[in-house]
Amino acid sequence: MTTLNQHTVLQVEDVSKMYKLGLVSTKSLAHDLNRWWHRTRGKEDPYLRIGESNDRASRGESDYVYALQDINFCVDQGEAVGIIGRNGAGKSTLLKLLSQVTQPTTGRISVRGRIASLLEVGTGFHPELTGRENIFLNGAILGMRKKEIASKLDEIIAFSGVERYIDTPVKRYSSGMYVRLAFAVAAHLESEILIVDEVLAVGDAEFQKKCLGKMGEVSKGQGRTVLFVSHNMQAVKSLCNRAIYLQNGRLKSDGPAQLIVDQYLSGYDSMETTRQYKNLDSEKSVFLKSARCLNTSENEKYMFTADEPITLELVIHKQHPVRGVFLHLLIRNNEEITLLETDSKEAGYAFIDTDKEGDFISRVTIPSRVLRSGRFHVTLGIASAQHDPFQIESLDSFISFDVLADKTPRDARRVALLSTILDWKNV
Amino acid sequence: MSDARDNQPQWDLVIESKTPLFRLNFRELWRYRDLLFLMVMRDYKASFKQTILGPIWFFIQPLLTSTVYSVIFGMIAKLGTDGNPRLLFYLSGVILWNYFSTCLNSSANTFISNANIFGKVYFPRLIMPVSVIISNMLRFSVQFLFFGLALAYYIIQGNTAVHITWVALLTPVFILIMAALGLSMGLIVSSLTTKYRDLTHLIGFGVQLMMYATPVVYPASELPLKWQQIIQYNPMTAVIEGFRYAFLGSGTFSPSMLLYSLGITVVLFFISVIMFNKVEKGFMDTV
């Protein structure tokens, strides 16, 4: 927690943002007239019933919702602050207030220096203009002067890696190139405070790394302040020295990034609805009825540390007599790269080899420290040589789980896709 | 901002829940002048990308419209032109009205057509409508030049009805009134349309209706006297009639009429800025 001092570049005091529900959905004069007509007859507003709920998940009584409530914090120059919280916690609202896109309902935000926000990259790109023209336009929208952009033009083009297409209209760009160019402009913005919201979700892995590197350079090397909103806890941990945790529009905690991220993640399981897979009905002769992830003490869990083995429990239902049924699993990471493939047949294990019908439970365990940190998705195939067609069921990414960084010093800085502990020997 | 603590930093920007009723931050607009320039260039370039004739469309459009008007209003409806060559008469009306109506229409769409970009980055919102006004001004200048050429042709041909008067010196005032009037009316509509989208459907019709209530396709002198008085309340009347008086030597021009137009324009401008200020900050929550 930072208090006000001479290095403070951003001060947020008692900021709240209230949204009126119901009214928001009204777009036409007709609705307003209807509302007025109801009111003059002493009847209740016909539109207020729409979207009353306060917390996203539960119904509320009030027509008003606080997207943010009593937020107070200060940020010093050079700090890299991660803003974390679940969907709907108010992160984006906070950024919108900071970037002056919308106005707070109460409170005051004071800023020293220039704020540049990257709420979504590529804002103001005109499809008909060339990459070069768009660099200037986008830079100017973000608050840069023309000569400032001109002096950095070469650097921006080099960073974006789209030199070849720079004089082609951006409507001919691939979406990846578009994002690269847009981020390149924003990253070269000379603002004292840089606001970044989830830009890293786009672009390929190589470019994401480049962006993270650039952001690190901005905050650590150039002494500029970065506010970073992300669901990527690894990125928050490695980039930010401080984190602010928002929950239901309130500031829950504020402190060193490591600590706050851990707090956020530990609370995650209890808050999160189960990611269990369930399917009670299928026409297939053998199908997956349910699936869940378990830890070593057989508790259902979807968030593991790299030092924990992960057990996948599959409940397979058989409704027709099929023998010699095998299971086949693929594990993919978030970038759709298949990391692991395992087949029960290769383990010499035909899962269902009886004429009995009903539920069969199978468990398979991924040992600790096989996967590195990240989110993983499981794909299942059910097959039998005695069935036509051979493949009985195929389910893509029916369940997913997260692996957090292990507790070694290397932690999130691992570059490989696997971080398996191998057998090392002196010979 | 008035906190007098010693370690209190100097704030460059304070975001608060309240905004003053009337706020025109010229310093901020000036700081973003490059954006204004680039926006104008964008409008200009984007409108001619993938066209063969490019900026020649600047001439073709008013020429075609004037020809159509000459046929319909001149030849078929037999409306007079105060003794002027039809082409010149309609051309002057068309280029002026085009400028005014595009200013109005495009500023009326400010919030809705820019909602996407306004929702993500802050810059003075006024940049958008003002840039459109300026890029239209560019087009108007070219068309005006074209009109000048046509005028020169008729004068060299020895057409005695046409003569330029000293009022031509007031041309910048005419243009300013049109720009400011179009902008103001557009901003008012734009501020209203963030909530009531219905107006967007009405605006096209409204502008067309207003054109017929302005001496564009007919000279004011053709009207019955009673109607002439009514039409004078339209602030655009003085502009178009004055412009024709300036360059064609026909029509009427009175300084008091021009002052009236100017007054209305100033009043509407203030109203529009107040409405724009009010909507500007919160529109992202309703649009």
Side-chain angles (χ1 to χ4, degrees), chain A residues 30-145:
Chain A
H31 277 219
D32 266 10
L33 286 176
N34 196 6
R35 176 180 290 127
W36 170 82
W37 175 234
H38 274 72
R39 218 184 288 145
T40 45
R41 287 182 301 161
K43 294 202 172 167
E44 70 163 343
D45 192 325
Y47 300 109
L48 273 188
R49 270 164 283 166
I50 306 165
E52 229 184 16
S53 65
N54 188 342
D55 180 12
R56 178 163 60 84
S58 63
R59 281 184 69 89
E61 294 291 304
S62 168
D63 308 332
Y64 299 95
V65 155
Y66 276 104
L68 282 177
Q69 206 167 357
D70 306 325
I71 304 292
N72 281 288
F73 63 88
C74 284
V75 178
D76 279 359
Q77 193 201 336
E79 273 192 301
V81 184
I83 295 169
I84 59 177
R86 285 197 301 161
N87 287 333
K91 305 183 297 288
S92 301
T93 306
L94 180 61
L95 292 203
K96 277 190 173 166
L97 293 179
L98 289 177
S99 49
Q100 285 181 274
V101 166
T102 182
Q103 213 175 15
T105 310
T106 62
R108 183 160 70 169
I109 300 169
S110 315
V111 185
R112 199 156 54 124
R114 219 163 23 156
I115 288 194
S117 61
L118 274 177
L119 288 193
E120 202 172 293
V121 289
T123 336
F125 267 33
H126 195 288
E128 296 287 352
L129 299 185
T130 68
R132 193 187 300 275
E133 288 164 341
N134 268 311
I135 290 178
F136 278 97
L137 189 64
N138 192 231
I141 286 174
L142 294 170
M144 272 195 268
R145 298 296 315 280

Side-chain angles (χ1 to χ4, degrees), chain A residues 390-407:
Chain A
F390 175 70
Q391 183 93 3
I392 305 170
E393 164 129 288
S394 168
L395 281 171
D396 200 22
S397 303
F398 64 98
I399 201 165
S400 59
F401 57 86
D402 292 311
V403 176
L404 309 176
D406 52 84
K407 295 200 168 65

Side-chain angles (χ1 to χ4, degrees), chain B residues 4 20 24 64 151:
Chain B
L24 257 187
L64 284 179
L151 186 66

Side-chain angles (χ1 to χ4, degrees), chain B residues 95-115:
Chain B
I95 62 172
L96 289 177
W97 187 260
N98 264 356
Y99 180 59
F100 170 74
S101 66
T102 41
C103 284
L104 201 166
N105 277 323
S106 48
S107 27
N109 282 323
T110 304
F111 282 117
I112 290 170
S113 59
N114 294 305

Side-chain angles (χ1 to χ4, degrees), chain B residues 195-221:
Chain B
K195 205 169 171 205
Y196 306 125
R197 292 286 172 87
D198 309 59
L199 271 176
T200 46
H201 301 285
L202 218 71
I203 181 86
F205 178 69
V207 170
Q208 207 175 17
L209 206 67
M210 192 177 163
M211 184 180 102
Y212 292 113
T214 312
V216 175
V217 295
Y218 56 86
S221 60

